[in-house]
Amino acid sequence: MLSGMDEADVIVTSYPLLRRDLDTYLGRTFHTLILDEAQAIKNASSQTAQAVKQIQAPRRFALTGTPVENSLDELWSIFEAVFPGLFPSYRRFRDLPPERISRMVRPFILRRLKKDVLEELPDRIETVQRSELTVEQKKLYAAYLSQLQDEASKDMEDNGFQKNRIKILAGITRLRQLCCHPALFVEGYQGDSGKMEQLLETVEDCLAAGKRILIFSQFASMLNLIRQTLAAQGRNLFYLDGQTLHRAVLRCAADLMRAKLNCS
């Protein structure tokens, strides 16, 4: 597919594919480079950031809703890709006060707030609903919490907090999964989940009112469980997680291969 690059007006690729096909892009000069979701290069030492910096293009734009997620170092990495030389060096950048950095980048940042570009949208109405754990969920939660507390206390006495921090955080994640649905954590669990029951009631009410629904979860396993439950009820749905694009690419490649074989 890259063999026709010279005849194309616009080339669209992903960051992983750019890393893989970098040799194909080297030695070429493009009119404009547009980096969507530019936070993908927030780590200046990553392979993605290094690959992007090797692309030759006199006009460069970075699009992102989160130019700084954790530290100002991420801002430096993005500007080093789209405006190399604005900051003399990484070391000198780190010595600059935040106010000075803000003044330096302000002329090159076009910021748009949702209220500025989506004036026709009504105000968002946010309603928080509390979910009650089922009786079986509460028993599982209490039992695992007690076990986690005992193990954490013993481990901290022996090795201190820092050496057991990851283990403690993993235990907290398990507690959150038990609150979502014990089946995410307890193998062979056949009981109910208070949150799932409440979600299904909300879905029923929304569909009855003719509304479309968008459901998020921090756990892909929970999303998959929701999909299975809704599909079993005969609901029409579209499922999207981190693997969806990969599967779509594979299907597209398979379709193209079949079409090529049929034409041969």
Side-chain angles (χ1 to χ4, degrees):
M1 297 175 65
L2 293 176
S3 58
M5 181 184 297
D6 292 332
E7 301 176 3
D9 294 326
V10 178
I11 299 172
V12 180
T13 188
S14 65
Y15 291 108
L17 290 180
L18 175 63
R19 295 197 306 267
R20 189 197 69 181
D21 303 326
L22 182 59
D23 290 342
T24 305
Y25 295 94
L26 297 180
R28 302 171 183 263
T29 299
F30 297 90
H31 180 274
T32 303
L33 174 66
I34 299 177
L35 303 172
D36 191 23
E37 301 294 345
Q39 68 272 13
I41 61 169
K42 65 182 182 180
N43 183 354
S45 61
S46 66
Q47 293 182 358
T48 298
Q50 296 298 321
V52 166
K53 292 174 185 178
Q54 296 184 62
I55 301 299
Q56 299 297 315
R59 301 166 185 82
R60 295 166 173 261
F61 299 89
L63 310 178
T64 176
T66 52
V68 177
E69 292 181 305
N70 300 305
S71 72
L72 282 175
D73 294 355
E74 300 166 358
L75 187 66
W76 182 86
S77 180
I78 294 175
F79 266 89
E80 185 65 12
V82 297
F83 199 156
L86 177 63
F87 301 107
S89 67
Y90 175 66
R91 178 176 298 179
R92 292 183 61 182
F93 171 83
R94 300 205 71 181
D95 292 336
L96 293 173
E99 297 78 11
R100 172 65 174 162
I101 295 174
S102 178
R103 288 196 299 270
M104 292 179 68
V105 302
R106 187 175 297 118
F108 310 106
I109 293 181
L110 180 61
R111 187 183 183 193
R112 287 291 182 264
L113 301 177
K114 184 173 68 174
K115 65 180 180 63
D116 298 327
V117 297
L118 297 176
E119 297 179 353
E120 72 278 8
L121 289 181
D123 293 335
R124 182 178 63 183
I125 300 175
E126 184 172 314
T127 303
V128 178
Q129 296 184 353
R130 305 293 181 184
S131 297
E132 179 73 18
L133 301 182
T134 64
V135 174
E136 190 170 1
Q137 269 185 296
K138 290 180 180 179
K139 292 180 180 179
L140 289 171
Y141 187 96
Y144 185 76
L145 177 60
S146 177
Q147 177 186 337
L148 179 62
Q149 289 173 331
D150 293 341
E151 293 179 354
S153 297
K154 183 178 183 303
D155 291 338
M156 289 179 65
E157 289 179 1
D158 295 339
N159 303 309
F161 173 74
Q162 287 300 326
K163 291 187 177 180
N164 293 282
R165 183 164 54 93
I166 300 300
K167 183 178 180 180
I168 294 173
L169 291 176
I172 294 174
T173 298
R174 292 302 191 190
L175 291 173
R176 292 174 56 211
Q177 289 178 323
L178 284 172
C179 290
C180 288
H181 201 299
L184 304 184
F185 176 36
V186 180
E187 185 175 356
Y189 179 80
Q190 298 297 325
D192 295 326
S193 161
K195 181 175 285 189
M196 179 68 84
E197 291 177 355
Q198 186 174 13
L199 172 64
L200 295 178
E201 291 176 2
T202 302
V203 168
E204 183 71 27
D205 292 341
C206 289
L207 293 180
K211 298 178 180 178
R212 302 178 68 185
I213 311 165
L214 188 59
I215 301 173
F216 290 91
S217 176
Q218 290 185 320
F219 300 110
S221 53
M222 184 64 181
L223 278 179
N224 189 45
L225 188 59
I226 294 171
R227 174 178 65 170
Q228 295 175 8
T229 304
L230 293 177
Q233 293 182 347
R235 306 293 188 188
N236 293 323
L237 56 92
F238 177 79
Y239 179 82
L240 179 66
D241 64 16
Q243 296 297 318
T244 302
L245 177 59
H246 179 66
R247 291 194 295 265
V249 170
L250 290 178
R251 286 198 300 270
C252 181
D255 292 341
L256 290 174
M257 182 61 69
R258 285 194 293 269
K260 183 177 181 181
L261 291 174
N262 290 335
C263 293
S264 300

